[in-house]
Amino acid sequence: MQRFPLTPLSLVCSAVLLATACSGGSTVDEDVEGASGSVSGSLNAGYVSAIDQIGLPVGTEVGYFEDHGLDVTLADPFPTGVDAINALEAGEVDIIQVGVPALAAAGEGVDLALVGNYTGSAVQRSVDETAAIVAAEDSGIDPDDLSTLEDAKIGTTFGSINHLYLLGLLKDLRIDPDDVEMVNTAPPDMPVALETGGIDAAVIWDPWPITITDQVEGSEEILRGGGYIPFIGYIVTTPEYLEENGELVEAFLTARAATDQWIRQNPDDAADSAARWLTGTEPEVAQAAMEYNIAQLDGRFSACNYLALDTVAVLLEEQGQLEYETDINDLFVPGPILSVEENNPELFDDLPEVPNTAEIESDHTFIREVDQEACAV
């Protein structure tokens, strides 16, 4: 089977930690409520070893999948979203978590069905609390005057979500990207590059900003979040699997919604779990990162999610990273998560309400001008 080729977008979409997850087995003593009992089945699921994707292994640890009649087997964590898509296409897993690489894969003809979020927002287009810029002590970059980013050497990972965050910020500051020296830098290399003067600042996702400020003396987080871009991360399967296993997919999304709510309500416990699953992640780093992660932990779909994907695609196209020819209506399948929302409203009652104008039906059709009006935040 032809595999989706590894491109710069392979470095995308989430706070990738170059680590492996620990083995299964519940270590959280938590009584789980809300068992459906109406579905029974097994499936294979895949994720990237990352703070923002931790809901999948946490769900197995806490027991929510089992409680909803599912026997979920986790694949070894994938190094990138592209690897996850390759495994999905090959039939090695049934459901994955992936962000921006879904756009490039769709452009290559890979059939995908986006059925929910693992990170993002159904109430606003732009959410980026898990992204930050860390500057070296003598960088000359003033956190109170970000126009000082002009002419700076900025480390980012080309084609990735942190690259998009930088582009969104520069666009807001009206700084031409050509007036900034962007240095293509992998996240693990950023601390050394910052310390040795290879770059003046690093633009990166959690937990790296926290790790870098701990490791590089005098470094400072000069900006976090700000709503410059939408972070996107989807729960993805194939149209064929969804058609044949709709009830399992809906049960999976219900269990994920329960897990996400547990994480939002128990961030310290979730961080402890993340430190166990993400080898090499210190508990205090996981706790700091989790506080930002829960700001983007919204599994629902609305017009804002369609608009977010469109916004990211346009940014990538403007930078020559993507030929945006995909109709995103062919990717989104909102029916399963909308059903979960309708049947289990209590799993979302701690989240802000979706604006009435942004609410969608299962047959929603994205039209940029209409959805921009619907999600005017």
Side-chain angles (χ1 to χ4, degrees), residues 263-278:
I263 292 173
R264 292 192 299 268
Q265 295 178 347
N266 302 276
D268 289 343
D269 291 335
D272 289 342
S273 181
R276 288 191 292 273
W277 282 93
L278 305 178

Side-chain angles (χ1 to χ4, degrees), residues 106-124:
E108 294 289 331
V110 180
D111 289 330
L112 301 174
L114 280 52
V115 295
N117 293 320
Y118 70 82
T119 189
S121 175
V123 301
Q124 61 192 70

Side-chain angles (χ1 to χ4, degrees), residues 23-351:
S23 60
S26 176
T27 56
V28 177
D29 183 13
E30 183 78 16
D31 292 330
V32 179
E33 299 180 355
S36 64
S38 60
V39 175
S40 179
S42 61
L43 57 84
N44 299 317
Y47 70 107
V48 175
S49 185
I51 286 287
D52 62 355
Q53 296 207 26
I54 199 65
L56 182 49
V58 167
T60 64
E61 184 178 80
V62 180
Y64 282 108
F65 292 115
E66 182 180 1
D67 189 61
H68 285 82
L70 297 177
D71 178 13
V72 175
T73 300
L74 297 182
D76 289 339
F78 298 108
T80 72
V82 169
D83 296 291
I85 291 174
N86 287 340
L88 180 70
E89 191 182 13
E92 297 167 6
V93 290
D94 305 310
I95 292 180
I96 60 172
Q97 298 181 153
V98 68
V100 177
L103 274 168
E108 294 289 331
V110 180
D111 289 330
L112 301 174
L114 280 52
V115 295
N117 293 320
Y118 70 82
T119 189
S121 175
V123 301
Q124 61 192 70
R125 174 174 58 171
S126 297
V127 58
D128 49 22
E129 289 302 309
T130 61
I133 300 179
V134 178
E137 185 175 18
D138 299 322
S139 66
I141 299 172
D142 184 354
D144 296 322
D145 180 12
L146 292 177
S147 68
T148 53
L149 287 169
E150 191 167 351
D151 298 325
K153 292 184 294 185
I154 303 178
T156 188
T157 314
F158 289 177
S160 71
I161 199 73
N162 58 340
H163 187 194
L164 294 178
Y165 179 68
L166 176 58
L167 293 174
L169 171 62
L170 294 177
K171 187 174 183 178
D172 185 78
L173 294 172
R174 299 184 179 180
I175 296 176
D176 190 322
D178 290 338
D179 292 334
V180 171
E181 183 180 347
M182 298 187 196
V183 182
N184 193 14
T185 313
D189 298 331
M190 288 185 178
V192 172
L194 201 66
E195 192 168 29
T196 59
I199 57 176
D200 299 313
V203 180
I204 193 56
W205 53 68
D206 281 327
W208 290 107
I210 302 163
T211 301
I212 291 171
T213 53
D214 285 344
Q215 292 180 351
V216 181
E217 185 176 356
S219 63
E220 177 187 7
E221 186 178 290
I222 61 168
L223 178 68
R224 173 171 287 277
Y228 297 106
I229 63 161
F231 258 61
I232 57 172
Y234 302 106
I235 297 173
V236 180
T237 186
T238 64
E240 181 181 6
Y241 185 84
L242 178 59
E243 182 178 357
E244 296 175 357
N245 302 277
E247 288 188 351
L248 287 184
V249 171
E250 188 169 325
F252 181 90
L253 293 174
T254 304
R256 273 308 311 270
T259 302
D260 290 349
Q261 186 180 66
W262 182 84
I263 292 173
R264 292 192 299 268
Q265 295 178 347
N266 302 276
D268 289 343
D269 291 335
D272 289 342
S273 181
R276 288 191 292 273
W277 282 93
L278 305 178
T279 303
T281 302
E282 297 296 329
E284 59 270 19
V285 172
Q287 288 191 0
M290 191 62 67
E291 289 297 328
Y292 300 115
N293 179 52
I294 60 176
Q296 300 178 189
L297 198 54
D298 184 348
R300 301 169 298 177
F301 271 168
S302 75
C304 299
N305 302 104
Y306 286 71
L307 189 58
L309 184 60
D310 177 70
T311 300
V312 167
V314 170
L315 275 172
L316 286 169
E317 185 176 48
E318 289 175 349
Q319 295 302 309
Q321 297 285 332
L322 179 77
E323 292 185 10
Y324 184 21
E325 299 175 348
T326 301
D327 184 349
I328 63 174
N329 291 301
D330 295 336
L331 297 177
F332 281 95
V333 185
I337 190 62
L338 294 179
S339 180
V340 173
E341 293 177 46
E342 181 179 357
N343 295 329
N344 305 272
E346 73 282 356
L347 298 179
F348 307 95
D349 60 11
D350 60 316
L351 290 170

